[in-house]
Amino acid sequence: HLYPEIARLRAIRFAEFDAKSQKAIISRIRRRPPKSFWTKDIEVAKVNDARLYWVIREMKRLQIAGAKLTPADEKWLANNISKFTDLQQMNRIDEGFLHAPRVSGVPPNPDRKFDTLSGLERLKQLEADLLAPRDNFGKDKAERAWDWIRENNNTILILEDLESTDNAGAQFQKVWDMFGMACFTNSPSEAEQAGRNINDETIRTLRLIRKLPTETVRGAIDGLSSWLSYRAHHVVNFPEGFEVWNLFWPEAVNNTNLRQKDGEPINLSTVAWSENNHEPLDSDTLNTPVGKLLDVYFKACPNLGVDPHPFSEGKPLRQMRDKIASATERSDLIVRCRMVEELPYFFRADPDWAQEHLVNALTDDNEHALGLWRAAARRGHFGREVQEKIGDHMIMRATDLRLGRETRQRIVFRLVVECLHSILEKRTHPVSHKSIQQLLRNLDDEVRAYAAGILPQFLREMQESSKHTAEDLFTSAVEPFLQTVWPQEHSFATPGVSHSFAGIPALSKSAFSKAVKAIERYLVPFECWSMLEYWLFGEEDGTEKISLIDSPDKAEALLRMLDLTIGTVEGSVIPYDLNRALDQIRMIDPSLTSRPAFRRLETATRRTS
């Protein structure tokens, strides 16, 4: 009962036991479970029935699994199973096992009375039901009204009802709120697939919304901002869309700010934490009214190749941006977090404004700046243009322990990648090589090992996305980086760095030997469980990756690398497929088999046999 795997195994393997063992097993089952399994307050007769029930169930389980019982046991089972109807119908080996709870969906239960209503009458009834208090008898009017609103195309019927009123349904705040939420739960693409004209629905809704008084907008801002967010692609095509956005923005800011209790430090309602729970990985900058209206704003921002000056004086986007920049308290922090994620765009569009409102906020030394750095590191691109402005601050933040490891790793990633690109393209890097070198010295070993892992990642991904060959990428970017940027001290040769560098030679293809020589000074033993750690496991284009070792100098380089990275002390991890690498070395250059390093590694393979 508590260990079903034992009962299942006993049934399946029963026939494999000898007759004596089978008899002992049946004898034990027939003795029934101990009475102590049941509490003393249960009637004796019920306990006896329960104990018998368990015995019969296990005997039946044996039969279902194919076990042959003795004639006496079969007769006993037949005489007693008639007392339990469900066991007579038992036909599965897992019958009676405990199962984990299963979650099943609760089907919608729309109130069908709304199908028979229309116009003002239906709006009044919807408003009343949506505001009705919840009861305890499964007859929640608000829930059933909501189920009806989001059913099929009922939002179109509500739109028609609102159009039939004299004041755009201003008195029906809750209906407007739920109308927006219902549209939010159904994407425009789904609606279009259903044959609906989303452009027509959008302009009709916009023309109604702009008639709503401030009080109605305030009461329904959640639903209305959700509607604008999900219809953003269509909203920005109409002048009425910008008019409605400007109408909503002050109420969105007020509503968002009210969600922060007085006296509490401003936070963005963290929705995800790092593995060690030391820093928020993601914050809720999307699900507030301000976040949803920002979706519309970003959707309206054009491609700068088409319109290089979208924020010129008098343009709608300039007016929107000015309003956004004037946000206060919690809304201000949400605005800046969202905008620093798109910092390169705003730099190209209006560098002076970006410097004043975004860069200066990033470079402030306060708690809010830390939140901005987390947002910028999470989604920002931080290319050359950005690093020219804030590169020195990135260096400082990469070692700021107030930021979590994940954020610092992302900042380091962008600095190192941009440095590699600048070396490859033979241009000046916005951040000096000496600054990056000193940064790498100051990092903790885990982040430094992460930085080392950027080099093989660069080799792999640039081969796939550029015209550069693996050999060119190594000799033109990675090797110079190792020679002029990466710290040369032997004290930075750690297992983490060694592990990260181990893939560089194989990813450098024909420059394998040269790559081993470049990283050799940083190689120390690490836990290498297979040749996968060296990118020499498996196949590529139908050929074994280990066949890359096709010349004596590559074979000798591989032997040196294996000797340096596979430990010599007792208990060191030995790659389980090390023998395959040694076979390749032996085949390419048999003379290497006489070297002490080869003999040591060959001896070590016996521990994995």
Side-chain angles (χ1 to χ4, degrees):
H1 185 66
L2 295 178
Y3 303 97
E5 63 274 16
I6 295 177
R8 184 177 184 276
L9 182 63
R10 177 175 61 199
I12 294 174
R13 301 291 295 276
F14 185 81
E16 298 178 24
F17 289 103
D18 56 47
K20 183 179 179 181
S21 298
Q22 289 182 359
K23 183 178 179 180
I25 291 173
I26 294 295
S27 175
R28 177 63 191 87
I29 293 175
R30 291 276 297 271
R31 287 204 300 270
R32 309 184 185 187
K35 293 181 181 179
S36 59
F37 281 12
W38 287 265
T39 58
K40 294 181 179 179
D41 58 339
I42 301 177
E43 297 176 15
V44 175
K46 290 184 178 180
V47 172
N48 289 336
D49 282 346
R51 296 174 69 205
L52 178 61
Y53 181 92
W54 281 28
V55 171
I56 295 172
R57 187 175 59 195
E58 295 313 305
M59 299 281 281
K60 184 69 173 177
R61 197 187 313 281
L62 293 175
Q63 279 191 333
I64 293 171
K68 293 184 178 180
L69 304 179
T70 65
D73 289 328
E74 285 186 350
K75 183 178 179 181
W76 181 89
L77 180 59
N79 290 338
N80 287 279
I81 200 171
S82 59
K83 299 177 182 179
F84 307 103
T85 305
D86 60 327
L87 294 183
Q88 294 179 44
Q89 300 171 356
M90 178 177 171
N91 56 15
R92 299 199 324 268
I93 195 173
D94 62 347
E95 193 81 31
F97 290 167
L98 291 176
H99 293 282
R102 295 184 180 180
V103 178
S104 58
V106 178
N109 184 27
D111 194 331
R112 298 267 66 99
K113 71 184 176 189
F114 297 113
D115 294 335
T116 62
L117 302 175
S118 63
L120 191 60
E121 186 180 2
R122 179 157 52 198
L123 292 173
K124 287 180 178 179
Q125 191 61 60
L126 278 170
E127 185 79 5
D129 283 11
L130 289 170
L131 294 172
R134 189 180 185 92
D135 61 34
N136 297 320
F137 301 99
K139 298 178 180 179
D140 188 347
K141 290 183 178 181
E143 186 174 346
R144 297 192 68 193
W146 166 242
D147 285 343
W148 184 86
I149 290 173
R150 61 194 177 100
E151 181 183 56
N152 298 328
N153 295 319
N154 286 343
T155 52
I156 299 176
L157 298 179
I158 296 175
L159 179 59
E160 293 171 353
D161 294 340
L162 292 167
E163 287 175 325
S164 69
T165 64
D166 296 331
N167 58 354
Q171 68 272 39
F172 305 114
Q173 285 186 8
K174 198 63 178 178
V175 172
W176 268 114
D177 193 22
M178 294 297 102
F179 168 81
M181 289 293 186
C183 293
F184 183 67
T185 59
N186 296 297
S187 70
S189 59
E190 291 173 345
E192 288 171 343
Q193 289 173 7
R196 289 163 55 180
N197 187 331
I198 300 302
N199 269 325
D200 178 65
E201 289 181 35
T202 300
I203 188 60
R204 288 164 60 192
T205 306
L206 287 171
R207 288 169 180 168
L208 278 177
I209 290 176
R210 66 179 181 173
K211 297 178 184 178
L212 294 176
T214 301
E215 184 180 352
T216 304
V217 173
R218 183 177 300 127
I221 190 64
D222 273 321
L224 291 174
S225 60
S226 295
W227 180 84
L228 276 178
S229 172
Y230 238 53
R231 296 289 189 262
H233 182 72
H234 300 270
V235 165
V236 297
N237 294 327
F238 302 102
E240 292 87 346
F242 295 94
E243 185 180 342
V244 167
W245 189 95
N246 283 287
L247 171 69
F248 282 10
W249 182 256
E251 298 305 324
V253 170
N254 290 336
N255 182 281
T256 300
N257 289 346
L258 286 173
R259 301 182 186 199
Q260 190 74 43
K261 293 181 180 179
D262 292 339
E264 285 188 355
I266 297 174
N267 68 73
L268 300 182
S269 302
T270 300
V271 296
W273 286 85
S274 63
E275 291 181 3
N276 52 24
N277 286 334
H278 286 171
E279 83 165 334
L281 285 179
D282 202 1
S283 298
D284 190 0
T285 58
L286 304 174
N287 294 316
T288 59
V290 161
K292 292 170 185 174
L293 291 190
L294 285 172
D295 292 340
V296 181
Y297 171 72
F298 288 123
K299 185 65 69 175
C301 291
N303 186 315
L304 295 179
V306 177
D307 183 0
H309 305 291
F311 304 113
S312 299
E313 192 71 39
K315 287 188 175 182
L317 278 176
R318 173 64 175 269
Q319 298 172 8
M320 295 171 74
R321 192 187 68 179
D322 290 345
K323 285 195 173 185
I324 289 171
S326 65
T328 58
E329 301 176 20
R330 189 168 187 249
S331 297
D332 176 49
L333 189 54
I334 291 174
V335 163
R336 294 181 193 276
C337 280
R338 293 287 301 274
M339 284 191 159
V340 296
E341 293 172 358
E342 305 297 336
L343 193 54
Y345 179 90
F346 291 109
F347 256 128
R348 290 194 295 271
D350 192 340
D352 292 337
W353 185 91
Q355 178 71 38
E356 179 183 354
H357 290 86
L358 302 180
V359 173
N360 290 348
L362 273 171
T363 55
D364 285 342
D365 189 15
N366 55 39
E367 188 63 30
H368 291 174
L370 296 178
L372 296 180
W373 278 100
R374 293 185 187 106
R378 185 171 61 250
R379 293 196 179 97
H381 301 295
F382 282 177
R384 179 174 57 181
E385 295 171 327
V386 175
Q387 291 191 28
E388 286 174 353
K389 299 288 184 181
I390 63 172
D392 291 338
H393 293 281
M394 292 174 68
I395 292 286
M396 179 183 69
R397 294 297 184 181
T399 55
D400 189 341
L401 297 181
R402 291 176 299 173
L403 293 171
R405 182 176 290 118
E406 291 84 356
T407 298
R408 288 182 281 122
Q409 285 177 340
R410 293 187 181 105
I411 295 173
V412 169
F413 177 86
R414 286 162 176 79
L415 286 166
V416 171
V417 167
E418 178 59 29
C419 184
L420 286 166
H421 278 287
S422 67
I423 295 172
L424 180 65
E425 297 164 13
K426 295 179 173 57
R427 56 176 171 79
T428 303
H429 185 229
V431 182
S432 71
H433 289 180
K434 287 187 177 180
S435 295
I436 295 179
Q437 187 178 73
Q438 190 59 40
L439 166 65
L440 293 169
R441 287 193 180 97
N442 294 337
L443 295 174
D444 63 77
D445 187 58
E446 187 169 350
V447 179
R448 190 184 302 109
Y450 172 85
I454 297 170
L455 274 63
Q457 182 179 350
F458 176 83
L459 282 169
R460 184 178 71 254
E461 295 182 359
M462 284 295 290
Q463 289 177 53
E464 298 170 355
S465 62
S466 71
K467 297 180 181 179
H468 294 280
T469 64
E471 299 78 8
D472 183 42
L473 288 169
F474 174 77
T475 56
S476 301
V478 174
E479 186 178 31
F481 182 90
L482 289 168
Q483 292 172 345
T484 62
V485 181
W486 193 266
Q488 301 298 302
E489 295 89 332
H490 281 290
S491 58
F492 296 125
T494 63
V497 170
S498 179
H499 188 189
S500 297
F501 278 168
I504 291 177
L507 291 167
S508 301
K509 302 292 177 67
S510 62
F512 184 94
S513 303
K514 197 175 182 181
V516 171
K517 185 176 181 180
I519 66 171
E520 196 167 6
R521 64 188 291 114
Y522 308 108
L523 296 180
V524 296
F526 64 89
E527 290 189 350
C528 39
W529 296 94
S530 80
M531 297 308 293
L532 180 66
E533 316 289 350
Y534 306 93
W535 285 82
L536 290 171
F537 176 84
E539 296 184 354
E540 184 175 19
D541 299 328
T543 304
E544 276 193 298
K545 290 183 179 180
I546 194 66
S547 63
L548 171 70
I549 310 303
D550 55 5
S551 65
D553 63 315
K554 289 182 183 178
E556 195 270 340
L558 176 59
L559 179 60
R560 291 201 323 272
M561 183 166 65
L562 293 174
D563 186 41
L564 289 168
T565 55
I566 297 175
T568 59
V569 300
E570 186 175 353
S572 296
V573 174
I574 307 299
Y576 78 89
D577 51 352
L578 175 60
N579 58 341
R580 178 66 188 89
L582 296 180
D583 288 344
Q584 186 72 13
I585 293 172
R586 180 186 293 108
M587 181 179 70
I588 298 300
D589 188 352
S591 67
L592 294 174
T593 60
S594 62
R595 293 196 178 184
F598 188 95
R599 292 200 299 269
R600 177 183 79 83
L601 294 173
E602 189 174 39
T603 301
T605 60
R606 296 168 191 163
R607 287 165 46 190
T608 63
S609 299

